[in-house]
Amino acid sequence: CTFALVIAGAMVASNDAALSVPDWPLSWGHLVPTLEGGIRYEFAHRVAAMLVGLMTVGLAVWMQVKQPLQSEPRPSGRGSSHPTRLAWAAVAVVLAQAALGGIAVRFVIPAWATIAHASLGQLFFAIMVAICVLLYAPVDGTWAAPTLLCTVALFAQTILGAGVRYGVVAGVVHIAGAVLATAVVMWAALGILMRQMDNPRLRRAAMLLLSITFSQVFLGISALMARIVYASAPQPMPIMVLFTVAHVAVGSLALGASVALAMLAPPDAFRVEGGMVTA
């Protein structure tokens, strides 16, 4: 549902529908407005956000009952963090994101609010991935430096992408960030593959991150070309919307895959055995 919310938000921005509903929390003074034009995308985004917010609160309460904070964390081979803390952190983030969304509407989309709103959406998705990893895989709370840097680079790239969408950051900055982030992903994922090929869990996670990242690069190039081709179009063209939304969505998947790999990889995952370096 969180991934669907990311797509819904991307549909609003890509269809230039951010101000289709000028009031908040109501929509044109009604609970359900007339669904026409850009209002459809904006209202669908609001409904999805409300549902995800309610589900997040329900998740936090359920986990508090099943795994209270004062209890021991879930047993694992290398110890684990408490997933309930992350669930309550997710509640805080989704509430902050809703507040920023309201500020963006009531104050005619200040740039800092819209970028922060989009960035918190990516952070929220990353937290959801982290909760899943904590619940279903034994992990350690310590991250190795390469995977940590990879996650930070991808998150920073999502912030730059939001800045480009709202006209605050130049496209060339986002492109340069993409080159740097891709290089960091390759450093971290290939480092895992060269040293942990016999570990199926790490091997699959690293290959997944590489696959998603290369797909993201292709979608970014496609979205850029579509914008160039249809730069003079009076409204967003379907092919441009398709590539832009896919670029945002797959960017979230890349960030989530990086978080998963960082949590699954032990701190010694990049250690070279016997002092030999793999070229």
Side-chain angles (χ1 to χ4, degrees):
C1 289
T2 302
F3 184 59
L5 177 58
V6 170
I7 295 175
M11 289 290 291
V12 172
S14 300
N15 284 282
D16 293 336
L19 278 180
S20 298
V21 181
D23 53 342
W24 184 86
L26 294 177
S27 301
W28 288 101
H30 302 280
L31 289 177
V32 181
T34 302
L35 301 179
E36 58 184 13
I39 298 176
R40 296 172 297 173
Y41 303 110
E42 177 68 15
F43 184 70
H45 178 55
R46 291 189 180 190
V47 172
M50 181 186 66
L51 292 176
V52 170
L54 293 174
M55 292 174 67
T56 304
V57 173
L59 173 67
V61 172
W62 177 79
M63 293 182 68
Q64 181 68 48
V65 173
K66 295 295 183 179
Q67 298 186 10
L69 289 173
Q70 64 270 22
S71 68
E72 290 297 322
R74 178 180 178 271
S76 69
R78 295 182 285 118
S80 64
S81 303
H82 211 304
T84 305
R85 290 190 178 91
L86 278 181
W88 286 113
V91 172
V93 170
V94 78
L95 290 177
Q97 190 184 14
L100 284 171
I103 291 173
V105 172
R106 297 296 293 271
F107 294 95
V108 196
I109 313 186
W112 67 267
T114 54
I115 294 175
H117 179 72
S119 301
L120 281 181
Q122 300 294 335
L123 178 61
F124 179 73
F125 182 78
I127 293 175
M128 289 293 106
V129 172
I131 291 174
C132 291
V133 174
L134 282 177
L135 287 176
Y136 296 103
V139 298
D140 193 351
T142 304
W143 290 14
T147 51
L148 174 60
L149 183 59
C150 177
T151 302
V152 171
L154 288 174
F155 182 61
Q157 184 64 0
T158 64
I159 297 176
L160 290 177
V164 171
R165 287 196 302 276
Y166 295 108
V168 176
V169 177
V172 66
V173 177
H174 186 50
I175 294 173
V179 173
L180 179 60
T182 302
V184 175
V185 167
M186 293 179 64
W187 172 49
L190 292 178
I192 290 288
L193 291 177
M194 288 189 295
R195 296 169 177 84
Q196 304 292 333
M197 280 298 291
D198 294 334
N199 187 328
R201 186 171 69 170
L202 294 182
R203 182 181 70 246
R204 291 167 185 164
M207 293 178 66
L208 179 64
L209 176 58
L210 283 172
S211 301
I212 293 175
T213 300
F214 290 138
S215 299
Q216 173 72 344
V217 171
F218 167 77
L219 289 171
I221 295 173
S222 301
L224 176 62
M225 295 303 297
R227 286 186 175 275
I228 293 175
V229 171
Y230 295 107
S232 59
Q235 62 184 18
M237 302 302 291
I239 189 66
M240 185 179 70
V241 172
L242 174 63
F243 280 124
T244 303
V245 172
H247 184 57
V248 174
V250 176
S252 296
L253 292 180
L255 177 61
S258 179
V259 169
L261 179 62
M263 296 179 69
L264 292 172
D268 60 352
F270 293 87
R271 186 176 60 190
V272 179
E273 300 292 342
M276 297 183 64
V277 177
T278 304

